């Protein structure tokens, strides 16, 4: 996913897969490439289940631990597990991307690495089923399984990005993220059923079997691009698009080059990293605590509380593809005058900058936390507000990652304007690392914020004698968490402020020059 300096307006996209060879017959090479791309996308969709199924459903486990705690150690520590797992996954990604990028000697072993990650993940869940102390859960569910998932995610995601060119990169990521949210919408019900029927130990062992089956199938479908899988350790491709095309044309593979780090000299990358850190710190809080909040504050049943977590993830199925489409504004050019009106409408999309799309997602999510979650109570209207919050926050916050395609496109455009090389795979890995920092920060902060809320408003939990009747979310022990979620989500739109500041400086400078 490396972009070399090129002339302004030069087309670097892959040949149209629907093009025809001589005499009007379909080009077999293009048809085969199209089939492999379909397999890679299908495999990536399947892999969302073993990678994210546990993390996105951890709220169900958290609620189960709250009401069925039998292990040694402080039960409150389990609140760290979900966000720690997210954090470890994302923090590992930059290092793993650097290891498996087309510039690295391990690029040819991506499938083997993914299968090793699946084995580590399965082993962690088996060990977790025999836990007797809270630190066992943190080590196996929060750290070891996350490392396995990161090893499964990184090489397969690199291959996905290299099979699809820059013209539809954001849309491809959006579709994959939609599958991730579909997993997050269905897994809570599956895990709730297993916990109720079989208990914690058997549930974790069944989950191990499901993880093994889906991860092996998905990893085998995500093929390593041919130019990487056939190259010698001393060679690598300079660009994913050029690599696939060169392989199809039997062109020689370029020599290995170092990863270009020019983008670290410019502020754009750091502004977006800071935005991602802030947004991620708040995004994980509802994933972890919404299930418990629904049962303890709005006094919903376990089934209804599980439904809240599912509703939190369902909108992301649509929003990830929507924000991916919104971000991928460079994918299609204007059609000819002979094109139908329907075709022109389908190709139209608003011309929004990366900072605008991230701001729409971040600020809308933050407002939903302030105006909806904070005003829920145990009254009948509380459930309606909580449902509305789950759907609204889930839609806007769930689509935030899909805006990264626009960020990558902006960084790639700036690199071309400066005539600098840029490795988009490495940039994408670093953005994931920023998200990991946010998750870890949010996880650690949430435990302390909940304790501060308990000190200020009283304990919350089974058997505590605490009553939420007539009190808003701000007036409960979860109040500090709600404020933290709203603030950090809004700060995820920092890019728009920076863009306005640059525009204002250019305007003022132009007036003085005039």
């Amino acid at each position: 996913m490396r972009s070399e300096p090129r002339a302004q307006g030069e087309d670097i996209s892959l040949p149209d897969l629907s093009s025809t060879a001589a005499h009007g017959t379909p080009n077999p090479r293009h048809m085969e490439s199209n089939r492999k791309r379909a397999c890679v996308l299908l495999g990536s969709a399947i892999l969302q289940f073993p990678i994210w199924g546990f993390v996105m459903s951890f709220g169900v486990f958290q609620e189960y631990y709250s009401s069925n705690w039998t292990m040694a150690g402080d039960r409150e520590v389990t609140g760290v597990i979900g966000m720690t797992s997210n954090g470890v996954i994302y923090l590992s990604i930059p290092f793993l991307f650097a290891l498996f990028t087309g510039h690295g000697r391990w690029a040819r072993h991506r499938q083997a690495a993914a299968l090793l990650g699946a084995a580590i993940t399965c082993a962690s869940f088996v060990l977790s089923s025999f836990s007797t102390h809270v630190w066992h859960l943190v080590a196996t569910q929060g750290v070891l399984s996350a490392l396995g998932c990161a090893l499964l995610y990184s090489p397969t995601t690199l291959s996905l990005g290299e099979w699809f060119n820059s013209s539809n990169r954001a849309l491809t990521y959006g579709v994959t993220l939609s599958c991730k949210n579909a997993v997050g919408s269905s897994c809570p019900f599956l895990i709730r059923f297993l916990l109720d029927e079989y208990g914690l130990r058997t549930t974790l062992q069944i989950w191990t079997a499901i993880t093994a089956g889906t991860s092996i199938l998905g990893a085998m479908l995500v093929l390593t691009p041919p130019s990487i899988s056939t190259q010698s350790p001393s060679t690598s491709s300079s660009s994913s698009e050029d690599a696939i095309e060169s392989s199809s044309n039997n062109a020689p593979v370029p020599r290995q080059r170092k990863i270009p780090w020019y983008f670290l000299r410019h502020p754009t990358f750091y502004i977006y990293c800071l935005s991602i850190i802030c947004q991620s710190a708040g995004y994980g809080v509802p994933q972890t605590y919404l299930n418990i909040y629904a049962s303890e504050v709005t006094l919903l049943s376990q089934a209804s509380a599980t439904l809240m977590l599912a509703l939190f993830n369902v909108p992301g199925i649509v929003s990830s593809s929507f924000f991916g489409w919104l971000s991928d504004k460079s994918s299609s050019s204007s059609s000819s005058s002979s094109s139908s009106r329907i075709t022109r409408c389908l190709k139209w999309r608003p011309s929004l900058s990366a900072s605008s799309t991230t701001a729409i997602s971040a600020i809308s999510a933050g407002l939903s936390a302030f105006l909806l979650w904070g005003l829920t109570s145990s009254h009948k209207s509380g459930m309606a507000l909580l449902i509305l919050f789950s759907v609204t926050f889930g839609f806007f916050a769930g689509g935030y990652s899909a805006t990264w395609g626009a960020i990558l496109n902006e960084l790639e455009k700036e690199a071309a304007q400066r005539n600098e090389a840029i490795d988009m795979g490495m940039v994408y890995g670093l953005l994931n690392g920023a998200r990991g920092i946010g998750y870890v920060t949010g996880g650690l902060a949430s435990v302390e914020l909940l304790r501060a809320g308990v000190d200020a408003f009283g304990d919350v939990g089974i058997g505590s004698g605490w009553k939420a009747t007539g009190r808003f979310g701000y007036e409960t022990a979860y109040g500090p968490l709600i404020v933290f979620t709203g603030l950090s989500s809004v700060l995820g739109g920092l890019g728009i402020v920076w863009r306005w500041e640059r525009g204002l400086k250019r305007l003022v400078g132009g007036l003085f020059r005039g």
Side-chain angles (χ1 to χ4, degrees), residues 209-465:
I210 296 173
T211 298
T214 52
S215 57
I216 292 173
L217 175 61
M220 297 306 294
L221 285 172
V222 180
L223 306 172
T224 303
S227 59
I228 292 179
S229 59
T230 58
Q231 72 185 23
S232 66
S234 61
T235 61
S236 87
S237 60
S238 62
S239 160
S240 58
E241 293 87 358
D242 295 339
I244 298 172
E245 188 173 5
S246 297
S247 176
S248 300
N249 298 329
N250 297 319
V253 181
R255 289 185 178 182
Q256 182 177 4
R257 286 187 284 262
K258 294 181 179 180
I259 298 175
W261 299 103
Y262 301 108
F263 63 92
L264 295 178
R265 302 174 181 175
H266 310 295
T268 305
F269 173 76
Y270 298 102
I271 292 295
Y272 285 121
C273 279
L274 181 60
S275 301
I276 290 169
I277 290 172
C278 293
Q279 193 271 345
S280 302
Y283 180 60
V285 173
Q287 278 187 324
T288 301
Y289 293 100
L290 187 61
N291 213 53
I292 305 176
Y293 182 91
S295 61
E296 294 180 347
V297 176
T298 56
L299 307 179
L300 300 181
S301 64
Q302 286 186 346
S304 298
T306 303
L307 177 63
M308 289 297 152
L309 188 59
L311 288 175
F312 179 84
N313 293 312
V314 165
I317 301 173
V318 178
S319 68
S320 292
S321 294
F322 171 73
F323 279 103
W325 169 83
L326 199 63
S327 302
D328 206 6
K329 62 181 180 180
S330 63
S331 63
S332 60
S333 59
S334 59
S335 58
S336 64
S337 58
S338 60
S339 299
S340 67
R341 180 176 298 178
I342 295 177
T343 302
R344 291 196 298 271
C345 289
L346 288 174
K347 289 186 176 182
W348 176 88
R349 69 191 68 206
S351 181
L352 296 175
S353 64
S355 58
S356 298
T357 53
T358 55
I360 291 171
S361 170
I363 295 174
S364 299
L367 289 176
S368 71
F370 286 129
L371 301 178
L372 299 176
W373 192 12
L375 298 179
T376 57
S377 68
S378 59
H379 291 303
K380 291 182 178 180
S381 61
M383 180 176 180
L385 277 177
L386 197 60
I387 291 175
L388 186 58
F389 163 74
S390 297
V391 173
T392 306
F393 189 89
F395 180 86
F396 288 105
Y400 188 85
S401 296
T403 66
W404 293 7
I407 295 174
L408 295 177
N409 290 338
E410 181 174 320
L411 291 170
E412 189 174 34
K413 180 181 177 181
E414 289 186 358
Q417 291 172 346
R418 300 185 181 104
N419 199 33
E420 295 174 350
I422 184 170
D423 188 314
M424 301 313 297
M426 196 63 243
V427 174
Y428 186 72
L430 291 174
L431 294 181
N432 278 282
R435 189 168 201 186
I437 295 173
Y439 270 119
V440 172
T441 303
L444 296 174
S446 65
V447 174
E448 296 304 318
L449 288 170
L450 185 59
R451 286 175 178 166
V454 169
D455 292 339
F457 299 103
D459 196 9
V460 181
I462 303 298
S464 65

Side-chain angles (χ1 to χ4, degrees), residues 16 82 105 111 123 155 199 205 238 272 281 296 369 402 411 430 475 485:
D16 184 2
R105 66 175 60 187
Q111 273 193 330
Q205 292 169 354
S238 62
Y272 285 121
E296 294 180 347
L411 291 170
L430 291 174
E475 301 174 292
T485 300

